[in-house]
C-alpha cells in the first residue's frame, strides 16, 4: 500500500471542552449523550476515583486541559464500543480533573508479558502541540518487573504512580519542572 | 480483542515540536524530557470505537444543531468533507470525528471568550460525525471568522476548524486544525507555522471543491485526514494467523 504522510497535530487550543465535553463547557443545547462519562457504569471492577491537576512549568494548574482515559475492565480485558474510554476535563477554576472508574486488571500482552494495572492517559490543552501519552499506575499494584516501568529510571517512575489517600487516588501531571511526568512516544 | 495491530512510529518531522518558540503557551506546557519509546502493547494497540447510535440526527449539521426552530445561523454556509485514511493508505471506517469552531465573527461560545464579536444565538460551534465504510465524512457549518489572541503581539488566528479524530488504536488519537485555502493569516500564524514542514501545513488546508458545491445553497471544502499507519515489522498474515 502507498505510504501517506500523517496529518500534522495542532494544539487543541483553550476551548477543547466545547468540542469534546460540550455539556461540561456549558453548551445548553448539546448532544444526546456526552462521550467518556460512563467508565464506571461500563466496566466491571472495583470502583476507584483518581484526582489530580495538570501543572505547567510555572507551577500553575492548567485550567483548559482535557485528560482522556483508555483502560481495560477489572479482569484486564479491553472492550469495544467505547467501553473503557473516559474523559476528565480540568475544572475551569481549580484545574482539578476527576476520573471515576474501576481498578483496571493486569494486562496480558500478545507475547505473554504481564503489565501491571494501569490507565492509559492522553493529555491535550492550549500550548500542547502534540497530545501527550502517559499512564497512571497504582502504588499497591505495581509489579517489580513491570515491562514499561522497568524501562524508566527509578527517580522518574514515581511520576506515573497514583498514591492512595483519604479522597481516593491522587496523581498530578507535570508538563515540565523538577517532577516532569514521564510521557511516551507510542 | 482478537488481534493486535502494531502502530508505525510517529514521524516527528511532520509535527510541531513540543516547544515552539513563537507560540508562547507551549514554552511552559511542552515537556523537556525526551518521550520514552516502547513497542506497541495491547494498551495502545486497542482503542475506543463508537457506533453510529451515539450520534443524534443533527450532530453533523452545525447549521441547525444549536438553532432554535426555524432559526438561521449567520455567515457563509459551508460543507466540509473528505476521507479519513491511515498511513498505509487504507480508509478508516466507523471512526469518530469531533469538530469545534468559532462563529462567523470569530467568537467561541465559551464563558472565557470575551472577543468583541457577538455570539450568534443560533450557533453552538460543535459537531460530530462517524466515517462511512469508505472512510468518508461530511458535515455542514458556517465558515468561521479569524480572531485575535494574546501571544505577545498582533496575532490573529487564521479561520480554522478544530478536529478531534479517533482511529482504531488509542495511539492514533489526533487533534488538529483545518485551515482554508488562500487565507493570508496561515503564513503569519505561530500555531500553524509551528509545523516545520510547509507541505504538512498545506495538507491541513482545505480546498474549495466546486464539484461538491450545491448551486444556490452551500459551498463545499475538501479536507482529507491521515492517521498513523501500521508498523513495517508486522505482516498481515501474522495478524490474522495468531
Ligand atoms: Fe480556535
Amino acid at each position: 500500500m502507498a505510504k501517506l504522510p500523517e496529518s500534522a497535530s495542532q494544539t487543541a487550543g483553550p476551548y477543547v471542552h466545547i468540542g469534546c465535553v460540550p455539556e461540561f463547557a456549558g453548551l445548553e443545547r448539546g448532544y444526546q449523550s456526552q462521550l467518556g462519562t460512563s467508565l464506571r457504569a461500563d466496566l466491571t471492577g472495583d470502583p476507584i476515583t483518581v484526582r489530580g491537576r495538570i501543572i505547567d512549568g510555572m507551577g500553575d494548574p492548567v485550567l483548559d486541559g482535557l485528560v482522556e482515559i483508555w483502560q481495560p475492565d477489572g479482569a484486564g480485558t479491553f472492550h469495544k464500543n467505547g467501553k473503557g474510554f473516559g474523559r476528565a476535563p480540568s475544572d475551569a477554576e481549580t484545574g482539578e480533573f476527576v476520573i471515576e472508574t474501576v481498578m483496571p486488571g493486569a494486562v496480558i500482552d500478545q507475547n505473554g508479558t504481564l503489565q501491571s494495572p494501569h490507565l492509559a492517559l492522553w493529555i491535550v490543552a492550549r500550548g500542547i502541540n502534540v497530545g501527550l501519552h502517559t499512564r497512571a499506575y497504582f502504588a499497591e499494584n505495581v509489579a517489580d518487573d513491570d515491562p514499561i516501568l522497568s524501562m524508566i529510571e527509578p527517580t522518574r517512575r514515581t511520576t506515573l504512580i497514583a498514591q492512595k489517600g483519604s479522597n481516593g487516588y491522587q496523581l498530578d501531571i507535570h508538563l515540565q519542572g523538577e517532577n516532569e511526568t514521564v510521557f511516551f512516544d507510542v | 480483542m482478537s488481534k493486535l495491530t502494531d502502530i508505525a512510529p510517529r514521524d516527528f518531522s511532520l509535527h510541531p515540536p513540543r516547544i515552539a518558540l513563537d507560540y508562547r503557551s507551549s514554552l511552559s506546557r511542552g515537556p523537556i524530557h525526551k518521550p520514552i519509546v516502547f513497542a506497541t502493547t495491547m494498551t495502545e494497540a486497542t482503542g475506543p470505537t463508537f457506533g453510529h447510535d451515539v450520534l443524534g440526527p443533527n450532530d453533523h449539521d452545525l447549521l441547525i444543531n444549536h438553532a432554535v426552530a426555524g432559526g438561521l445561523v449567520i455567515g457563509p454556509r459551508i460543507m466540509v468533507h473528505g476521507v479519513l485514511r491511515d498511513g498505509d493508505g487504507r480508509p478508516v471506517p466507523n471512526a469518530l470525528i469531533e469538530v469545534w469552531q468559532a462563529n462567523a465573527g470569530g467568537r467561541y461560545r465559551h464563558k472565557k471568550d470575551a472577543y468583541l464579536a457577538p455570539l450568534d444565538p443560533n450557533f453552538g460551534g460543535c459537531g460530530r460525525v462517524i466515517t462511512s465504510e469508505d472512510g468518508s465524512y461530511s458535515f455542514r457549518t458556517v465558515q468561521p471568522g479569524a480572531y485575535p489572541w494574546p501571544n505577545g503581539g498582533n496575532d490573529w488566528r487564521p479561520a480554522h476548524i478544530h478536529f478531534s479524530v479517533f482511529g482504531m488504536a488509542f495511539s492514533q488519537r489526533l487533534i488538529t486544525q483545518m485551515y482554508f485555502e488562500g487565507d493570508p493569516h496561515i503564513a503569519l500564524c505561530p500555531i500553524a507555522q509551528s509545523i516545520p514542514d510547509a507541505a504538512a501545513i498545506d495538507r491541513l488546508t482545505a480546498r474549495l471543491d466546486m464539484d461538491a458545491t450545491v448551486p444556490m445553497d452551500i459551498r463545499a471544502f475538501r479536507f482529507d485526514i491521515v492517521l498513523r499507519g501500521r508498523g513495517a515489522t508486522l505482516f498481515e498474515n501474522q495478524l490474522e494467523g495468531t
Side-chain angles (χ1 to χ4, degrees), chain B residues 108 147 157 160 162:
Chain B
Y108 284 92
Y147 59 81
R157 294 304 324 282
H160 62 278
H162 296 267

Side-chain angles (χ1 to χ4, degrees), chain B residues 129-187:
Chain B
V129 297
I130 291 179
T131 58
S132 303
E133 286 305 316
D134 61 358
S136 65
Y137 76 91
S138 78
F139 62 93
R140 302 201 314 168
T141 188
V142 73
Q143 188 160 14
Y147 59 81
W149 60 295
N151 189 50
N154 185 12
D155 288 301
W156 294 72
R157 294 304 324 282
H160 62 278
I161 298 176
H162 296 267
F163 275 65
S164 150
V165 187
F166 290 80
M168 298 296 107
F170 200 53
S171 59
Q172 289 179 302
R173 194 79 180 81
L174 175 73
I175 281 183
T176 187
Q177 301 184 26
M178 182 198 100
Y179 302 106
F180 289 86
E181 178 179 15
D183 188 337
H185 287 292
I186 297 170

Side-chain angles (χ1 to χ4, degrees), chain A residues 133-135 184-186, chain B residues 7-10 35-41 44 170-172 228:
Chain A
H133 286 277
T134 183
R135 290 183 175 190
F184 303 131
D185 172 19
V186 288
Chain B
I7 303 299
R10 196 180 280 290
I36 305 281
V37 182
F38 55 84
T40 308
T41 76
E44 294 81 22
F170 200 53
S171 59
Q172 289 179 302
R228 295 162 70 181

